[in-house]
Amino acid sequence: MAGPRAWVAVVGLAVLLCILGEARSEEKDLMKYKDPNQPINKRIKDLMKRMTLAEKIGQMTQIDRINATVQIMKDYSIGSLLSGGGSVPLPHATAEDWVNMVNEFQKGSLSSRLGIPMIYGIDAVHGHNNVYKATIFPHNIGLGATRDPDLVKRIGAATAREVRATGIPYAFAPCIAVCRDPRWGRCYESYSEDPEVVQQMTEIIPGLQGEIPSSSMKGAPYVGGKDKVVACAKHFVGDGGTTKGINENNTVTDWHGLLSIHMPGYYDSIIKGVSTIMVSYSSWNGVKMHANRFLITEFLKNTLNFRGFVISDWQGIDRITTPPHANYSYSVQASILAGIDMVMVPYNHTEFIDTLTDMVHKRVVPLSRIDDAVRRILRVKFTMGLFENPLADLSMVDQLGSHAHRDLAREAVRKSLVLLKNGQEGDEPLLPLPKKTQRILVAGTHADNLGYQCGGWTIAWQGLSGNNLTSGTTILSAIAGAVDPSTEIVYKEEPDAHFVKSNNFSYAIVVVGEPPYAETAGDNLNLTIPEPGPTTITNVCGGVKCVVIVISGRPLVIQPYLSSIDALVAAWLPGSEGQGVSDVLFGDYGFSGKLSRTWFETVDQLPMNVGDPHYDPLFPFGFGLTTKPLYLHLSHYPANKQFITLEPLL
């Protein structure tokens, strides 16, 4: 018979095995949310039951990288980081620099109690435009002029690869605003004044995120692999319809107008699986969108069944009040109860976290609203595979600014150009231009300025001037590479009339337009071409046959100069690949672009959109002359062509 000591040993072993079994069971249970074989809803439920209120509110918080540290990511369980316009690891940062920075912050998130990875977002609105040497595609107004959804889809895929090359999985794109007034400073971010064109261009979403499987539930987010990114349809809703085009202002329209003009792009985006939607700074009939529960919760979430997450704009909740941040407690309460899930608080995360935490404790904001927000955020993170692949590697760094992507951008430029005039009445068409001739003049502020042709949201938020901001080809350089080696090119930015008439030019190319701008800084009530543009047009076109290329984010006042111009091209904001302009000017490809928005005669006509009863434009919506190509499509042009400059290049 066993002695007392033996019984104690047996009982002790049994207790130990029981404890170990419970520990193993608990460990297995703990790993359920980390198990990719589990259904996403089970993973979400498993993780959420383990989260404290502090961790949940941390997931609802997005801050700018400049105010983040590894410790903050760990201590607050911050859900997301972003780079605002121009917020970069260092000047001229490489893809590797970006990957290393993102991973360093991610390691902080992974070292938190539950190890929930953060999602890093960036404005990649015409390519990966914050990043040095990335491909800069034409802005949306130009892409709308292509009427080519497949092209836009391919641009989305290329953009996704370049964004992923820098370790970033989330792009704040596309902007699906329907700009109804070109005085708005964000009009170039809109594909068109026509909601049908905007709907067509939502094909960029499957380019960015991947093709949603046919078996997916309507409204469910989708991201299809490590070379795809989370997309963000913005800005919900009516941002392009504000009075006089004033940014962040009030959109006055009835329910039918909102649904028929500003909402259709969101229907298509949700069907295509868009993962996130950003709310607009603007108001609808006096109600701030960031506080509009009816539109965000009742319509977007409940009626349209959007199941991704809703994100605020930059300090968007602060701007619910006038002046901004005047009553922050109210702003937090109103925005969260309206249905915003993730809040962009770039500078002061603790104020937001503390305020919202206090409101939950006081039952001003119910815990069910917090849970809805976190459930949506986690759904996107699980869907995109962020828990399985939280850290980026260097396997895609060669995608940044790749030759294939630049060729695609060049194609986009070609297809976006709209030919508005080609020859004086009774004369032969001026375009396409001959490559072989004696001497040509290239003039204008925008002929040799990469920053100007890229526009706002390029390297810096407001854009830059000059040729040192990133890699690309100016229109002047593209012309030099396109013409015959025997053709002499004379470049003078601001020639006077005597110079033009006395140099026996065969023809002239004048490139003028707007300087870069973004958002409110671009609001403009007169829409004139800034000097010296008009003077350059007058001096040059008064002395020689000329083609005028307008670089702008919208139609500008051109009627006073139209009679002196032989050929007129709307090139919008073409981006880094200026060869796309020369490809069409010299007949390697034909002009095919069609106006994506009405070209007014005078600003007194505004707002004026296709279908309006007072519609009397200079050039109507959909207008665009065509030409046929003259040459075979060569793969490249001579790289050693020299041009004469009569003043220092910028």
Side-chain angles (χ1 to χ4, degrees):
M1 187 174 180
R5 288 185 179 180
W7 278 110
V8 169
V10 170
V11 170
L13 179 61
V15 170
L16 179 61
L17 290 173
C18 183
I19 291 171
L20 288 173
E22 288 178 0
R24 288 194 186 98
S25 176
E26 184 176 337
E27 182 181 3
K28 183 179 180 181
D29 193 39
L30 179 68
M31 298 301 292
K32 186 178 292 184
Y33 74 89
K34 294 185 177 182
D35 182 359
N37 296 316
Q38 295 288 332
I40 285 178
N41 285 338
K42 284 189 176 181
R43 298 178 76 183
I44 294 171
K45 184 177 180 180
D46 179 71
L47 177 53
M48 286 188 64
K49 74 181 182 183
R50 305 175 189 281
M51 295 174 71
T52 64
L53 177 62
E55 288 165 333
K56 289 177 179 179
I57 292 176
Q59 285 300 298
M60 297 171 66
T61 307
Q62 184 184 64
I63 64 178
D64 192 279
R65 53 161 290 281
I66 61 174
N67 295 303
T69 66
V70 172
Q71 197 64 42
I72 287 172
M73 302 305 293
K74 176 182 178 181
D75 293 347
Y76 289 90
S77 191
I78 297 295
S80 181
L81 285 181
L82 84 152
S83 279
S87 180
V88 299
L90 68 161
H92 294 181
T94 65
E96 186 174 0
D97 293 327
W98 281 92
V99 167
N100 291 338
M101 178 198 70
V102 174
N103 281 349
E104 191 65 22
F105 287 127
Q106 188 69 283
K107 289 172 183 175
S109 296
L110 297 177
S111 67
S112 64
R113 186 179 75 90
L114 294 171
I116 304 173
M118 65 84 181
I119 181 171
Y120 199 108
I122 196 165
D123 284 283
V125 298
H126 62 138
H128 200 6
N129 47 265
N130 270 292
V131 176
Y132 182 62
K133 290 189 175 182
T135 308
I136 306 299
F137 292 93
H139 268 296
N140 287 354
I141 188 171
L143 297 182
T146 71
R147 300 296 200 279
D148 190 340
D150 177 70
L151 170 68
V152 171
K153 182 178 179 180
R154 287 183 283 136
I155 289 172
T159 300
R161 289 190 291 269
E162 296 209 16
V163 171
R164 280 288 196 172
T166 57
I168 297 173
Y170 183 15
F172 302 133
C175 178
I176 55 171
V178 181
C179 176
R180 302 291 283 179
D181 194 323
R183 292 173 290 189
W184 186 36
R186 305 193 78 156
C187 205
Y188 64 77
E189 296 184 57
S190 168
Y191 293 108
S192 179
E193 69 189 42
D194 181 1
E196 289 189 13
V197 174
V198 174
Q199 283 182 283
Q200 293 167 13
M201 296 302 147
T202 60
E203 272 300 286
I204 195 172
I205 291 169
L208 289 164
Q209 295 191 155
E211 289 284 356
I212 188 168
S214 58
S215 59
S216 288
M217 291 181 60
K218 180 186 175 183
Y222 177 75
V223 184
K226 293 176 71 175
D227 63 343
K228 299 296 181 182
V229 295
V230 169
C232 180
K234 63 184 187 182
H235 308 83
F236 188 82
V237 58
D239 49 343
T242 59
T243 301
K244 293 185 178 180
I246 298 172
N247 192 42
E248 304 180 20
N249 200 16
N250 189 28
T251 295
V252 180
T253 187
D254 60 15
W255 181 234
H256 173 74
L258 192 73
L259 292 186
S260 62
I261 295 173
H262 300 286
M263 199 70 77
Y266 291 95
Y267 306 151
D268 287 53
S269 297
I270 292 167
I271 289 169
K272 292 171 182 178
V274 73
S275 296
T276 72
I277 290 176
M278 185 181 292
V279 178
S280 176
Y281 288 125
S282 59
S283 304
W284 176 48
N285 294 337
V287 179
K288 287 282 189 180
M289 276 306 309
H290 275 76
N292 197 317
R293 187 180 189 280
F294 168 71
L295 284 174
I296 297 173
T297 294
E298 295 183 29
F299 190 73
L300 178 63
K301 290 184 174 181
N302 296 343
T303 301
L304 299 185
N305 200 33
F306 174 63
R307 300 179 71 224
F309 69 79
V310 176
I311 186 169
S312 83
D313 208 331
W314 179 280
Q315 292 185 306
I317 70 169
D318 300 54
R319 302 187 201 184
I320 290 173
T321 59
T322 304
H325 206 79
N327 185 343
Y328 193 64
S329 293
Y330 169 74
S331 293
V332 172
Q333 176 185 338
S335 61
I336 300 302
L337 291 180
I340 293 176
D341 303 311
M342 182 177 283
V343 180
M344 203 181 289
V345 281
Y347 302 126
N348 195 341
H349 61 281
T350 55
E351 181 185 27
F352 168 73
I353 289 170
D354 293 346
T355 302
L356 183 53
T357 301
D358 183 61
M359 287 183 171
V360 176
H361 286 153
K362 291 178 178 178
R363 299 186 179 180
V364 175
V365 174
L367 185 60
S368 60
R369 172 73 272 271
I370 303 300
D371 285 345
D372 172 61
V374 176
R375 188 177 297 112
R376 290 168 176 275
I377 293 165
L378 293 179
R379 181 178 294 123
V380 171
K381 290 185 176 184
F382 280 123
T383 298
M384 66 185 290
L386 192 60
F387 280 76
E388 287 68 58
N389 297 289
L391 297 173
D393 57 36
L394 303 178
S395 61
M396 296 186 68
V397 295
D398 62 342
Q399 294 292 316
L400 188 71
S402 72
H403 183 72
H405 294 170
R406 293 189 183 277
D407 281 347
L408 177 61
R410 184 171 175 172
E411 176 189 349
V413 175
R414 290 194 296 264
K415 292 181 175 180
S416 70
L417 302 178
V418 180
L419 181 58
L420 299 174
K421 181 179 180 181
N422 192 15
Q424 299 290 2
E425 188 174 353
D427 289 351
E428 289 292 316
L430 180 61
L431 298 174
L433 298 169
K435 294 182 179 182
K436 187 171 185 178
T437 191
Q438 182 181 343
R439 175 185 293 173
I440 65 175
L441 171 65
V442 180
T445 49
H446 290 57
D448 192 42
N449 195 312
L450 188 62
Y452 279 12
Q453 74 186 47
C454 289
W457 288 110
T458 307
I459 303 303
W461 173 40
Q462 292 293 326
L464 297 165
S465 175
N467 294 333
N468 296 321
L469 68 163
T470 191
S471 295
T473 304
T474 68
I475 294 171
L476 173 64
S477 296
I479 292 168
V483 299
D484 188 88
S486 65
T487 299
E488 180 184 349
I489 299 175
V490 176
Y491 168 59
K492 189 170 178 65
E493 185 174 311
E494 299 177 45
D496 58 34
H498 174 74
F499 175 83
V500 175
K501 291 177 181 178
S502 62
N503 273 278
N504 195 29
F505 293 112
S506 306
Y507 57 80
I509 301 170
V510 179
V511 193
V512 295
E514 296 183 296
Y517 55 81
E519 301 191 41
T520 304
D523 287 355
N524 187 329
L525 295 178
N526 61 55
L527 296 181
T528 55
I529 299 173
E531 285 289 355
T535 299
T536 303
I537 293 173
T538 301
N539 289 344
V540 175
C541 296
V544 66
K545 283 190 177 295
C546 70
V547 52
V548 172
I549 301 170
V550 179
I551 303 293
S552 66
R554 53 201 161 189
L556 300 175
V557 175
I558 197 69
Q559 192 275 335
Y561 324 107
L562 191 57
S563 62
S564 68
I565 295 171
D566 295 285
L568 178 62
V569 177
W572 315 114
L573 298 169
S576 59
E577 305 312 302
Q579 307 101 311
V581 176
S582 60
D583 284 346
V584 182
L585 279 183
F586 296 102
D588 290 305
Y589 293 81
F591 279 92
S592 61
K594 304 296 180 185
L595 287 178
S596 59
R597 60 175 315 100
T598 299
W599 201 294
F600 59 90
E601 187 167 341
T602 70
V603 292
D604 296 334
Q605 297 174 297
L606 300 176
M608 178 175 62
N609 296 283
V610 62
D612 287 351
H614 66 289
Y615 196 69
D616 184 26
L618 183 63
F619 300 108
F621 171 85
F623 180 80
L625 302 173
T626 59
T627 61
K628 294 182 179 180
L630 298 180
Y631 305 99
L632 294 174
H633 295 169
L634 303 178
S635 60
H636 64 276
Y637 293 110
N640 61 348
K641 176 66 188 172
Q642 299 298 311
F643 54 85
I644 299 171
T645 178
L646 300 183
E647 62 188 48
L649 295 180
L650 295 177

